[in-house]
Amino acid sequence: MDIRISSPQRPLTRSTCFVLMVCLGVSAAALSGCEDEPIRSYTAPKAEPYTPPAPIGPAVGPSNTPPQITWDTPESWALSAQGSSMAMATFEASATATTDETPGPARITVTPLTGEAGGTLGNINRWRGQVGLAPVQTDADQPMTPIRIDDTNAGVIDLTSPADANAGIDRMLVVLIYRQAEDQSWFIKMTGPRETLEQHKANFIAFCESIRFGGPADE
Amino acid sequence: MNSGWKKTLAPLASLRLTVVLFATAMVLIFVGTVAQKYEGNWSVVDRYFRSLWLWMPIGVAGVKVPFVGGYTLCILMLVNLLAAHAVRFKLTRKRAGVILTHAGLIVLLAGELVTGLLAVEWQMPIDEGHSANYAEDIRQVELVIVDPSPADHDSVITVPQSMLVRNYAEPRKGFAEPISDPKLPFDVRVLKWMTNSGLAGLKMADPKLQQANPATQGLGTMALAVNLPPATGVDAGDMDAPSVYVQLSRGGEDLGTWLFTLHADLIGDPRQPVTVGDKTYLVELRYRRDYKPYSLHLIDFRHDKFVGTEVPRNFSSEVRLLDPANHVDRKVLIYMNHPLRYRGETFYQSGFAGETRTILQVVRNPGWLMPYIACLLVSLGLTIHFGVMLKTFVGRTRR
């Protein structure tokens, strides 16, 4: 069997370093030149006239008029264009750093749907599934904190994902209101990291309690 | 090759260098993967893999250390491989497999350099019954100044995002010099750049924030842009929505402070009129556009589901390709795994919004064939090398 003894490694010579520097220098010059973008000018076909985007949220109610609602937005919440096309409004609330790591932002949505929209139990179990919790058998099995929104009694559901669940949502605060007069369901939901929701929980409750039905939609 | 060159290249051909480069690549890939939890995917690709060097966080109280970027590693691996061939490998039948395999690796590395530098990827959203003659790069925005005065076309001037960010990030003498160019009808000074932002209605904002609103003109007087953390690679579907406050001026005349934002259509018409002398320009912040000399008209978008379920079965876009200059007018069906290839670009069925809007992904990559050639060379090389080694082994055992 052949036994090969590796030859000793040759030390870097000046010419080797020169070759290496030239290779890296030429490459760096070529690559850095690719990153500078200039101001461009060109001609383009005439742009179409501006049309305002369609109102967010589905057409609801027999008269097909948009649902009327007002609220007071907490100062620390920012209106966001990112979000579900079903939502009437989407807000983002940033977290304050309490440790070395700043948690991600929370997202708050206000979504109207026609009718009972799946009913209370169906929605509770859907939300529980989203945070990795097992379903419940009846509405009464899900703890809720009572809240009064305009002239309607509702409940705040607080769901937190278990440590070992690989759920898409870490924590959720949600209020479901069904208004029989308009046959309209309203979902007010806040989702995000549990630390962020803890910081904004009071804002969420205040936001829900400020809701009034029947006025013009606020921004 | 003469002995002088061999002496020069020998250290660069070192196998120890190869091992060090592979270990460094593993560290870079690991840290770059973890970084996507905190930053957007494309931001990480540009910073970690398509760069010469970077400041790498080591996870301890914000400490960062300088580290080689993907391009430097790629170049060093290429130099190492080429030097090894020059110094050690002889062109013999026994070495043919190894040489072919290494040639495949060279093509693979070169292919990634070509793709990183030259490939472009855009989106083309089209509504049913409408046409599109441009694609958008949703990773970049540009400040667009349009002169709509010509009757048959718009004259467009664009300031790239990189220039806006640099103007905000590099103050000199206490403030940045404005962006100035003979093509621009006015100078642009960036007062604040926000990579990701939201809008707060001013009537609900803190009075202190209202007083701090820098905008004096346009949509910025109706809403305040607030900074948000950048979208990360784990925020499914979320994209950054930049905003920028700029001060416009011309020849010493202050044209006001304006807010240009991707959220502008939440407030009103995103194209804000800026008057300079007797001319009015329309200015907006939008995704970077690439206009085509041809157009696609969306005849029908289909989103088929399996019967009785909500499971998608098929997405397809029936489009009419119109290229008057080349006398092209034909119908094409674009659906999954059946893209349209035209004039060096490939149109894939990428996504949709609602029931009547299709989103096509437009890709131009001159190096698209290189990974396939590389795989072919490596496979052939390994097969030949295996065959040669097997023949040698069988010959020895027979003796």
Side-chain angles (χ1 to χ4, degrees):
Chain A
M1 182 185 290
D2 290 337
I3 298 174
R4 293 175 189 273
I5 299 171
S6 62
S7 55
Q9 296 297 317
R10 293 184 183 269
L12 280 178
T13 62
R14 260 187 246 167
S15 51
T16 308
C17 293
F18 177 73
V19 167
L20 191 56
M21 289 300 121
V22 165
C23 287
L24 287 173
V26 167
S27 308
L31 290 170
S32 61
C34 296
E35 292 176 10
D36 290 340
E37 283 188 77
I39 291 173
R40 298 187 296 155
S41 67
Y42 54 88
T43 58
K46 279 286 187 194
E48 290 184 2
Y50 170 70
T51 42
I56 299 167
V60 290
S63 62
N64 221 28
T65 53
Q68 303 298 298
I69 186 172
T70 60
W71 55 69
D72 289 334
T73 310
E75 290 166 6
S76 55
W77 290 7
L79 191 66
S80 172
Q82 311 288 345
S84 163
S85 58
M86 303 284 285
M88 173 176 250
T90 304
F91 301 93
E92 280 210 8
S94 300
T96 312
T98 53
T99 59
D100 285 339
E101 216 174 289
T102 306
R107 170 164 290 165
I108 304 97
T109 54
V110 180
T111 308
L113 286 175
T114 312
E116 295 197 31
T120 307
L121 180 62
N123 281 298
I124 286 172
N125 284 331
R126 181 170 57 85
W127 297 323
R128 288 179 68 90
Q130 286 173 348
V131 298
L133 290 170
V136 293
Q137 299 299 314
T138 67
D139 303 356
D141 294 331
Q142 173 59 53
M144 292 189 214
T145 306
I147 188 172
R148 185 138 177 104
I149 298 177
D150 201 357
D151 55 357
T152 308
N153 289 323
V156 181
I157 297 170
D158 190 344
L159 301 170
T160 303
S161 176
D164 56 349
N166 198 16
I169 297 174
D170 189 40
R171 185 177 173 186
M172 179 192 301
L173 288 169
V174 59
V175 174
L176 166 59
I177 312 160
Y178 174 66
R179 291 179 60 80
Q180 200 162 13
E182 297 101 14
D183 191 26
Q184 185 88 53
S185 292
W186 291 89
F187 296 77
I188 300 125
K189 200 189 321 184
M190 180 161 73
T191 55
R194 60 192 71 189
E195 300 86 358
T196 312
L197 263 69
E198 193 57 40
Q199 292 177 16
H200 286 277
K201 185 172 179 177
N203 283 335
F204 180 76
I205 304 292
F207 173 77
C208 293
E209 289 175 338
S210 75
I211 287 173
R212 295 293 178 266
F213 298 100
D218 209 348
E219 287 180 358
Chain B
M1 175 172 286
N2 65 47
S3 61
W5 269 110
K6 277 197 178 179
K7 224 188 229 180
T8 301
L9 293 176
L12 297 176
S14 161
L15 280 174
R16 285 185 192 173
L17 177 61
T18 310
V19 171
V20 166
L21 290 175
F22 277 139
T24 310
M26 285 166 63
V27 169
L28 184 68
I29 290 166
F30 175 76
V31 178
T33 304
V34 171
Q36 289 176 47
K37 188 182 170 202
Y38 307 101
E39 292 180 58
N41 291 340
W42 288 108
S43 166
V44 168
V45 166
D46 288 340
R47 191 205 298 267
Y48 285 79
F49 304 117
R50 290 183 179 165
S51 62
L52 290 169
W53 71 281
L54 67 141
W55 286 104
M56 178 181 283
I58 58 169
V60 178
V63 173
K64 294 182 182 178
V65 297
F67 203 83
V68 287
Y71 279 159
T72 303
L73 271 177
C74 223
I75 291 159
L76 289 174
M77 282 180 180
L78 262 175
V79 169
N80 179 243
L81 200 47
L82 290 168
H85 271 274
V87 169
R88 281 200 290 271
F89 295 137
K90 298 179 187 60
L91 194 62
T92 61
R93 247 188 310 188
K94 206 170 176 183
R95 288 286 185 186
V98 172
I99 290 170
L100 261 181
T101 304
H102 285 173
L105 287 175
I106 290 168
V107 170
L108 193 65
L109 289 170
E112 171 50 31
L113 269 175
V114 168
T115 300
L117 293 172
L118 300 178
V120 288
E121 205 174 296
W122 308 73
Q123 275 194 0
M124 184 182 273
I126 321 174
D127 291 315
E128 263 186 9
H130 288 79
S131 298
N133 61 350
Y134 63 83
E136 293 178 325
D137 182 355
I138 60 172
R139 293 168 291 166
Q140 287 192 66
V141 295
E142 53 189 10
L143 188 68
V144 175
I145 300 143
V146 176
D147 174 7
S149 55
D152 58 345
H153 65 271
D154 284 342
S155 298
V156 182
I157 307 157
T158 65
V159 180
Q161 176 174 325
S162 57
M163 202 174 274
L164 296 171
V165 172
R166 202 161 50 237
N167 190 254
Y168 175 61
E170 290 181 355
R172 290 180 208 137
K173 300 176 189 174
F175 56 87
E177 294 294 320
I179 297 168
S180 183
D181 191 280
K183 297 189 202 71
L184 289 174
F186 39 72
D187 293 340
V188 178
R189 184 195 304 278
V190 178
L191 300 178
K192 188 172 185 184
W193 167 266
M194 288 165 271
T195 302
N196 192 18
S197 62
L199 284 187
L202 279 179
K203 59 187 172 181
M204 291 165 296
D206 187 326
K208 291 195 286 286
L209 288 176
Q210 284 190 33
Q211 285 168 10
N213 181 20
T216 59
Q217 303 273 356
L219 299 178
T221 58
M222 292 186 271
L224 185 72
V226 293
N227 212 2
L228 291 177
T232 70
V234 295
D235 292 335
D238 279 3
M239 302 287 300
D240 286 332
S243 295
V244 64
Y245 282 100
V246 295
Q247 185 182 33
L248 306 180
S249 61
R250 157 100 173 235
E253 180 195 351
D254 181 14
L255 299 173
T257 300
W258 300 72
L259 167 66
F260 297 106
T261 171
L262 276 196
H263 295 298
D265 57 357
L266 288 175
I267 319 169
D269 188 343
R271 296 169 293 189
Q272 301 182 59
V274 177
T275 303
V276 183
D278 57 356
K279 224 169 182 182
T280 298
Y281 298 89
L282 300 176
V283 187
E284 68 171 313
L285 192 74
R286 68 180 189 202
Y287 289 129
R288 190 165 186 262
R289 284 188 187 177
D290 178 41
Y291 278 92
K292 311 291 179 192
Y294 52 86
S295 64
L296 290 177
H297 178 87
L298 180 63
I299 301 167
D300 182 36
F301 170 71
R302 292 184 64 109
H303 172 203
D304 302 324
K305 297 173 193 167
F306 286 103
V307 174
T309 73
E310 291 297 308
V311 177
R313 183 168 70 93
N314 179 49
F315 305 99
S316 66
S317 304
E318 188 184 0
V319 300
R320 188 170 159 211
L321 173 62
L322 281 158
D323 186 354
N326 289 302
H327 309 289
V328 172
D329 182 350
R330 61 185 168 99
K331 282 187 189 171
V332 181
L333 187 68
I334 302 171
Y335 58 105
M336 290 187 295
N337 298 321
H338 289 78
L340 161 67
R341 297 183 202 277
Y342 188 68
R343 291 181 75 154
E345 290 174 332
T346 309
F347 296 77
Y348 296 92
Q349 178 65 61
S350 171
F352 64 99
E355 295 295 324
T356 57
R357 171 177 272 213
T358 188
I359 299 174
L360 303 177
Q361 185 190 30
V362 186
V363 177
R364 183 168 58 231
N365 180 10
W368 70 276
L369 205 49
M370 293 175 83
Y372 297 105
I373 296 172
C375 288
L376 199 63
L377 287 172
V378 168
S379 304
L380 195 60
L382 288 175
T383 305
I384 291 172
H385 187 66
F386 175 74
V388 166
M389 290 292 110
L390 182 65
K391 188 180 170 191
T392 308
F393 174 76
V394 165
R396 279 195 197 142
T397 48
R398 274 191 188 155
R399 274 187 256 121

